[in-house]
Amino acid sequence: MTLELTFHGAAGTVTGSCMELRAGAQRILVDCGLFQGSRSLEALNHEPLPFDPRKVDVIILTHAHLDHSGRLPVLARNGCRAKIWCTPPTGQLLAPLLADSARLQASDAERRNRRPDRAGLTAFEPLYDDRDVERTVEQVETLRYGLWSKIAPGVELRFSDAHHILGSASVEVRAGGQHLLFSGDIGTAAADAIEPQAPPERWDHLICEATYGDRDRQLYSLAERREILATCVEPALAKGGNLLIPAFALERTQAVLGDLVALFASGRLRPSPVFVDSPLADRVTRAYRRYDDGESPSPFDDPHVQFTSTVDESRALNRVSGAIILAGSGMCTGGRIRHHLVRNLPRANSTVLLVGYQARGTLGAVLQSGSETVRIMGYDIRVRAEIMSVDAYSAHADRAGLLRWLERRAPVAGSLFLDHGEIPALDRLAADASEIPGLPKPLVPMLGERFRLDKGSPARRIGEPRPQAADLVAPQDWRNRYGAFVSSLEYRLRALPSDAARRRAIEAAERAIRGQEASGHP
């Protein structure tokens, strides 16, 4: 049985995770997530899939985050009826996350199609709807950690705890006499865990994520993390404005809300109104409660916490001041947080607190970089609010943690692939991992690259990257640069000393564009 591995996503970027493993006649997908970040990356979600979904035999899902699961309903819409293997908690979380994704896509498409700057353009269509989500959930098959299961002829699967979020898993696959390990997203605790244990004959090939491959972070105790949050919340509310916390509904919202309620209860912070503007967070928490001890009081029941389920309740927050508002998404790529940003960013007494990783090209990353203007939903917004960041809530292992995890997987007989990272992180982790005894020199695949996997031998590239793969994962694509340029253009022109200077600047820009048109260069 020959094995081939193709990287359809999360190659040179941290989103769109999707790998295709061909084991003889069997076609197996590991994850199928949404691309998020720059407009160029997001556009990949609307391209035809790079494989025939009707010919997919099995899907393995490492965890429920949308950058790993968010295109599963696209497969269902296009005729895929393969079983989706995941852990029981992931199976519980999948339905509310994908249903919310479908709802957000529908509202986002409607909003985009109403924008004046899209007049006359092809109408935007959602990727999938509720029926596609229902079909996807019907295909779920769960498997507990530590158990082997035959998932296809000649193919076996075992999950181990990746300690990233509830239900997250590393994936072992045995096929064609080879033993493969896919790390999934690795959490901080997993960096020191001994599972999964190497087989006696060594791993044949290892695929490891590299999200924080170029960054070392200080690890904080729960008490230290809460104190860090308090030092951000206290001055933010003292200004009299709102504190916006963009947070994913899965894991991050629960952690931040639990810390806020604990700080209120201890007297460290004066109790303030907290609005969780995320119906999804409530549904996700119900899934969480299936797996907790049931003895600790839930922060979601605290009297200072209020959920805003309806659109009207969310809009009513426009009249609120001096409150903490948690809303998705965590990287400000969609959801209700964008409406709150439009309202609050121009206010000097408002604060935005970023509590998670901000992928390149996302609105969160643009705000984090200190941009004075941003473009949101077709509006050019001045940023007068204070932008703060804390790095105490990450569910990802840092560079040192990833290296410890890799050391525990050595030796590897064939190849080590690094994916799910941006180029600087991939390059740094590849350089460091190459120094670990027993590990081969890492391979860093790009979008579309395909490799043949042989037992005990380095992988051989048999398929080239997709055209312009490097441009797609560039730090800032032309759409992002255009948005930044347009949003700041009027302010920059007004800053010039005279109308004549403004006219000359516009004429120079027009000449430059005409020159590019005439040159015919790609």
Side-chain angles (χ1 to χ4, degrees):
M1 179 188 291
T2 60
L3 300 185
E4 295 180 4
L5 182 63
T6 307
F7 291 82
H8 295 303
T13 180
V14 294
T15 65
S17 183
C18 183
M19 288 168 278
E20 180 185 1
L21 176 65
R22 293 194 184 187
Q26 299 297 310
R27 296 190 176 192
I28 302 162
L29 289 187
V30 180
D31 291 339
C32 194
L34 283 170
F35 286 97
Q36 300 164 319
S38 70
R39 287 298 187 190
S40 293
L41 279 175
E42 289 184 352
L44 297 181
N45 295 321
H46 297 271
E47 287 188 1
L49 292 162
F51 50 83
D52 186 346
R54 295 168 299 180
K55 295 182 179 179
V56 173
D57 298 290
V58 179
I59 302 167
I60 302 170
L61 180 60
T62 61
H63 64 287
H65 275 153
L66 289 179
D67 62 321
H68 292 257
S69 70
R71 280 191 296 166
L72 292 175
V74 177
L75 301 180
R77 168 169 279 203
N78 286 278
C80 178
R81 297 296 178 261
K83 285 185 177 180
I84 302 170
W85 288 86
C86 62
T87 65
T90 296
Q92 291 286 334
L93 294 166
L94 202 56
L97 282 167
L98 293 179
D100 187 72
S101 175
R103 180 185 61 80
L104 287 176
Q105 286 180 53
S107 61
D108 185 58
E110 181 183 4
R111 177 186 54 76
R112 287 193 185 191
N113 292 331
R114 289 200 310 263
R115 280 169 47 169
D117 58 348
R118 288 195 57 83
L121 300 178
T122 303
F124 222 80
E125 294 289 339
L127 289 170
Y128 46 82
D129 56 24
D130 289 340
R131 181 60 190 133
D132 301 315
V133 172
E134 292 170 5
R135 291 193 190 100
T136 301
V137 174
E138 290 168 0
Q139 295 165 215
V140 168
E141 192 82 20
T142 61
L143 178 66
R144 297 196 308 275
Y145 293 131
L147 302 179
W148 282 104
S149 181
K150 183 178 180 180
I151 60 173
V155 182
E156 293 180 291
L157 164 70
R158 180 166 68 176
F159 290 127
S160 59
D161 194 348
H163 301 278
H164 172 55
I165 64 167
L166 181 67
S168 62
S170 294
V171 174
E172 296 175 72
V173 174
R174 292 197 297 218
Q178 299 192 54
H179 204 147
L180 279 58
L181 175 61
F182 299 83
S183 72
D185 284 2
I186 301 169
T188 54
D192 297 309
I194 60 172
E195 57 181 7
Q197 298 179 14
E201 66 276 14
R202 302 188 297 175
W203 303 107
D204 289 290
H205 302 280
L206 173 60
I207 300 90
C208 181
E209 66 110 331
T211 307
Y212 278 102
D214 60 343
R215 282 177 256 183
D216 289 316
R217 300 192 318 273
Q218 181 178 345
L219 298 180
Y220 299 99
S221 68
L222 182 60
E224 289 171 334
R225 188 181 77 184
R226 287 174 174 170
E227 180 59 27
I228 291 170
L229 180 63
T231 59
C232 296
V233 172
E234 202 166 35
L237 294 181
K239 294 190 294 185
N242 292 321
L243 169 61
L244 305 185
I245 305 180
F248 291 110
L250 173 55
E251 195 86 12
R252 196 59 48 84
T253 291
Q254 288 84 3
V256 173
L257 189 58
D259 287 354
L260 286 171
V261 170
L263 290 166
F264 294 159
S266 69
R268 174 62 182 84
L269 285 180
R270 176 178 56 82
S272 301
V274 179
F275 296 95
V276 183
D277 196 15
S278 172
L280 175 61
D282 188 30
R283 294 194 291 273
V284 166
T285 302
R286 292 175 200 167
Y288 264 63
R289 284 173 172 171
R290 292 174 180 263
Y291 299 95
D292 64 20
D293 56 18
E295 297 177 0
S296 303
S298 169
F300 283 83
D301 299 327
D302 188 272
H304 302 101
V305 176
Q306 181 177 336
F307 288 92
T308 53
S309 299
T310 68
V311 173
D312 286 342
E313 289 174 336
S314 179
R315 287 174 177 163
L317 297 182
N318 291 339
R319 300 187 294 272
V320 167
S321 224
I324 302 170
I325 301 173
L326 284 84
S329 70
M331 294 187 289
C332 309
T333 54
R336 293 183 176 181
I337 191 63
R338 293 171 72 89
H339 298 275
H340 297 303
L341 289 170
V342 169
R343 183 78 176 176
N344 286 273
L345 281 178
R347 298 177 173 179
N349 65 347
S350 294
T351 304
V352 178
L353 178 60
L354 302 171
V355 294
Y357 184 86
Q358 305 299 317
R360 287 183 175 184
T362 62
L363 176 58
V366 173
L367 289 170
Q368 197 171 53
S369 71
S371 178
E372 295 181 356
T373 58
V374 293
R375 192 170 178 83
I376 305 176
M377 300 183 295
Y379 297 99
D380 297 327
I381 309 295
R382 289 295 301 271
V383 180
R384 294 188 176 91
E386 183 178 1
I387 310 299
M388 305 177 70
S389 298
V390 297
D391 197 15
Y393 285 90
S394 178
H396 280 276
D398 64 0
R399 184 191 69 90
L402 289 171
L403 290 172
R404 288 197 301 274
W405 192 91
L406 285 169
E407 286 173 355
R408 291 173 178 269
R409 309 287 89 79
V412 174
S415 291
L416 165 61
F417 296 92
L418 298 181
D419 72 340
H420 203 284
E422 292 168 346
I423 298 301
L426 290 162
D427 289 346
R428 174 66 186 276
L429 189 63
D432 291 339
S434 65
E435 302 297 323
I436 298 176
L439 293 185
K441 183 178 180 180
L443 298 172
V444 180
M446 295 299 289
L447 288 171
E449 275 195 285
R450 187 167 78 254
F451 297 83
R452 174 170 172 145
L453 308 181
D454 294 309
K455 184 173 180 60
S457 302
R460 291 184 290 154
R461 188 172 73 174
I462 57 175
E464 297 293 321
R466 62 169 287 154
Q468 298 180 319
D471 292 337
L472 289 169
V473 299
Q476 192 177 40
D477 70 351
W478 75 267
R479 293 176 176 86
N480 287 83
R481 297 194 67 175
Y482 168 75
F485 176 73
V486 169
S487 65
S488 65
L489 181 59
E490 182 177 353
Y491 303 110
R492 295 169 70 181
L493 287 172
R494 288 184 181 278
L496 295 177
S498 65
D499 285 349
R502 297 179 188 102
R503 185 174 62 252
R504 288 194 297 271
I506 294 170
E507 290 170 349
E510 290 173 339
R511 285 196 302 272
I513 293 172
R514 285 197 298 269
Q516 288 294 316
E517 292 172 338
S519 70
H521 292 315

